[in-house]
Amino acid sequence: MTLEELLNDLQALVDQYSDGTEPTEEDAARMAELTDQINERTAQTAQAAQARNAAVANARAAIDAGRAQRVDSVPLARSANVTGASGAVYDVTDYDAAERRAWVKGLAERSGIQLVGGTALTDAERAAQRHAIEQRAEFTMTTANTESLVPVAVQKEIISLIDNTAVFFGDISRTNMSGQVEFPRHKSITAGDAAKTKEGEAPTDVEQNDFDNVPLVGEEIKKTVEMSRKMATQSLSGFEQYIITEVSARLSVACNAFAHEKLGDAKYGMAAANKIQTAAAKSLTKADMVKMLSLLRTYGNAAAKGIIIYANNSTIWNQIAMIEDTTGRSYFVNEATDDPIVQGRIFGKVVKQDDSIADGVIKAGFPDLFKGNIFDGPDVTPYVQPRTQKRCFDGYVLFDGVLAVPEAFAQLTIKSA
């Protein structure tokens, strides 16, 4: 019987004599027996809890001292016990954190950075790093012989920071497939688009779509972070945050600029007919903006974010915000949001500040339909620059992308003359 069942049985007997009558000899003996069993079970539970707390405390002490050993081969059914060990073994090491510490220490050691506390790996950090290399070598050919891998959690953190500052790059759709990738481009519906039919009748024409496949092989994006010799003494956490923040900041500019480059490419980007100019020089009108928006197409492809307008700060406030109706009121609505990149709306479309775009250029479209792929990275490679003794860290991403529907974006350039 479980402890709960024993308690229920005892309570039932107590309730039976709640009127003050004396229990029978048989019931009294049963009550005494249940009480003994409950006390015994309670003592056993308390003893087990004390033993486990002591084991966990010992394990945590081993982690702090760097003596905790990773256990990967213990059968799941008896995961709390290890053959050959005395007593129960509970390995509560956070190996993701240990892998991050090992990576940071290795980065510092290879670049001559003196960390407070040193760069020597503990047993737990060494085991975590070895395990990560072995695991990823089974799936990624490019890292099979790499001695120090950027932890996945760090890669995600760098990408997250890039997305927060790389405006267009942060909006596009991205995958992480290795090897050459081909994306189909939906260029047009040549025949048989949706049309009205009579009840019960088949469509008058079968839809015919114009597709072409565009291969993506990946382009290398690199940016260097520099640290002077004077800055070369750091705490581990401070050094890690410095690398993540600075590499993200450098790569965000490069990744965003490259995404815009692909957007403007004749083969990978928007259709030539979607690149237009204003009707008059040095002037932006409602008609110009509406014409640009009228060129946009999705051909039925999903675009959850809708149309977004991109321009730099000067173009937004000197041109877009100055478009007025006949009463002198601006069509642009300045909306304060949690996202500092969003400057407002015009004609119901979000306007974002993107400083990768030149003055006098406005881009609008469906960012969901720009399909990007990160083949490798983000990666960080350290080295010491000769003579200057600067500690350098090369941020690296292997990326490529294509606009899946060439008419999904349009570009409006304000004539200079």
Side-chain angles (χ1 to χ4, degrees), residues 395-411:
Y396 174 92
V397 170
L398 186 62
F399 173 78
D400 212 342
V402 60
L403 186 59
V405 178
E407 287 80 13
F409 258 85
Q411 176 177 304

Side-chain angles (χ1 to χ4, degrees), residues 358-394:
D359 287 346
V361 176
I362 303 167
K363 297 181 183 180
F366 300 92
D368 294 296
L369 298 185
F370 189 98
K371 307 298 182 181
N373 187 71
I374 295 180
F375 296 86
D376 189 18
D379 193 12
V380 181
T381 303
Y383 61 94
V384 179
Q385 192 178 84
R387 300 181 65 186
T388 66
Q389 291 295 303
K390 287 181 179 178
R391 273 57 181 166
C392 300
F393 306 89
D394 281 351

Side-chain angles (χ1 to χ4, degrees), residues 133-268:
I133 292 173
E134 290 172 353
Q135 289 292 97
R136 267 176 260 175
E138 295 180 10
F139 303 101
T140 311
M141 293 173 59
T142 57
T143 59
N145 299 316
T146 303
E147 294 181 357
S148 180
L149 303 177
V150 180
V152 174
V154 173
Q155 289 183 330
K156 289 180 178 178
E157 191 171 339
I158 291 175
I159 284 294
S160 177
L161 289 173
I162 290 174
D163 286 346
N164 288 336
T165 53
V167 184
F168 179 58
F169 183 82
D171 284 341
I172 65 176
S173 300
R174 288 197 308 267
T175 54
N176 292 90
M177 294 180 283
S178 60
Q180 182 170 313
V181 179
E182 282 195 355
F183 277 109
R185 281 174 39 107
H186 194 168
K187 301 179 71 174
S188 65
I189 300 175
T190 55
D193 200 355
K196 182 178 70 174
T197 61
K198 292 182 179 179
E199 183 179 356
E201 292 186 0
T204 56
D205 197 2
V206 177
E207 181 175 312
Q208 298 178 24
N209 295 286
D210 183 15
F211 284 95
D212 64 353
N213 289 324
V214 178
L216 301 183
V217 297
E219 297 286 346
E220 293 184 322
I221 300 173
K222 305 170 189 173
K223 279 293 179 179
T224 300
V225 173
E226 294 183 349
M227 175 187 286
S228 68
R229 176 72 179 268
K230 193 175 180 180
M231 298 172 61
T233 299
Q234 299 273 334
S235 67
L236 187 142
S237 59
F239 178 62
E240 178 190 31
Q241 195 55 52
Y242 173 85
I243 293 299
I244 291 174
T245 303
E246 293 299 313
V247 167
S248 301
R250 299 295 190 275
L251 285 178
S252 65
V253 176
C255 288
N256 201 57
F258 180 72
H260 276 292
E261 179 185 331
K262 299 298 285 191
L263 183 63
D265 186 86
K267 180 178 179 181
Y268 291 87

Side-chain angles (χ1 to χ4, degrees), residues 55-69:
V56 172
N58 289 334
R60 293 192 184 280
I63 294 168
D64 293 337
R67 294 181 285 100
Q69 295 296 313

